[in-house]
Amino acid sequence: MDDDNEILESSGIPPTIIGSSEWIQLEKMEKTIGEDALLEQILSAKLWSNVEIIWVLKKMIFYYGRKDALLKKTPLDRLFMNMSDVLRCFFLIFDALDPELDDNMRSYVSGKLADATFGVSERTRRYLEKIE
């Protein structure tokens, strides 16, 4: 909602894509045609808008966070490729934009990245090798 973004702006919090008029339009489309149809429509396009990128990322976060039985059937190599592709995208964005992040956001990103490095550091690799 544009009103929500105006409230955020007036309080010193910058508006985001979520809540923008484009986001609201996409949500209306999702309710009209369904989330699977919207995903297929986005996936069929060669070039996505920022709103569509955020919508797909939000869907991926929800889907991968569920850890349901269907997801567990996904080949492990494919899951690793998916995550590697997402990481490459974020690498390019952070490198190109060098965004200014407030300390809370930087702390959140740093913490999540630190958690996600499980298996990357020498310490966790040794731990994983002992499990075998």
Side-chain angles (χ1 to χ4, degrees):
M1 299 179 162
D2 289 331
D3 291 340
D4 290 342
N5 275 341
E6 287 174 18
I7 292 169
L8 290 174
E9 263 185 271
S10 66
S11 65
I13 301 170
T16 66
I17 289 175
I18 295 177
S20 68
S21 58
E22 294 87 358
W23 179 265
I24 293 168
Q25 201 62 25
L26 195 66
E27 283 184 324
K28 285 179 185 175
M29 184 181 293
E30 176 184 1
K31 288 177 185 165
T32 302
I33 66 173
E35 107 179 7
D36 287 335
L38 178 57
L39 179 61
E40 287 304 316
Q41 182 178 325
I42 293 170
L43 292 176
S44 69
K46 183 162 176 72
L47 191 62
W48 302 354
S49 69
N50 287 352
V51 171
E52 291 168 330
I53 291 170
I54 293 296
W55 187 88
V56 170
L57 285 171
K58 183 179 174 196
K59 182 160 180 63
M60 289 175 67
I61 290 167
F62 172 76
Y63 181 75
Y64 287 123
R66 285 190 345 211
K67 301 177 197 144
D68 63 5
L70 186 60
L71 178 62
K72 290 179 181 179
K73 292 179 182 180
T74 306
L76 194 55
D77 287 349
R78 182 60 201 205
L79 285 175
F80 277 117
M81 279 185 3
N82 291 357
M83 292 304 111
S84 181
D85 289 344
V86 170
L87 290 171
R88 282 185 185 107
C89 291
F90 280 112
F91 178 86
L92 291 172
I93 290 168
F94 268 80
D95 185 42
L97 298 180
D98 190 18
E100 284 293 323
L101 302 175
D102 66 38
D103 288 344
N104 289 331
M105 182 64 77
R106 190 170 298 284
S107 175
Y108 178 80
V109 169
S110 298
K112 288 298 181 184
L113 284 174
D115 289 347
T117 62
F118 182 85
V120 174
S121 71
E122 181 182 355
R123 185 173 137 220
T124 56
R125 284 196 316 271
R126 279 193 311 240
Y127 168 78
L128 293 171
E129 287 168 354
K130 288 179 184 178
I131 291 177
E132 291 179 17

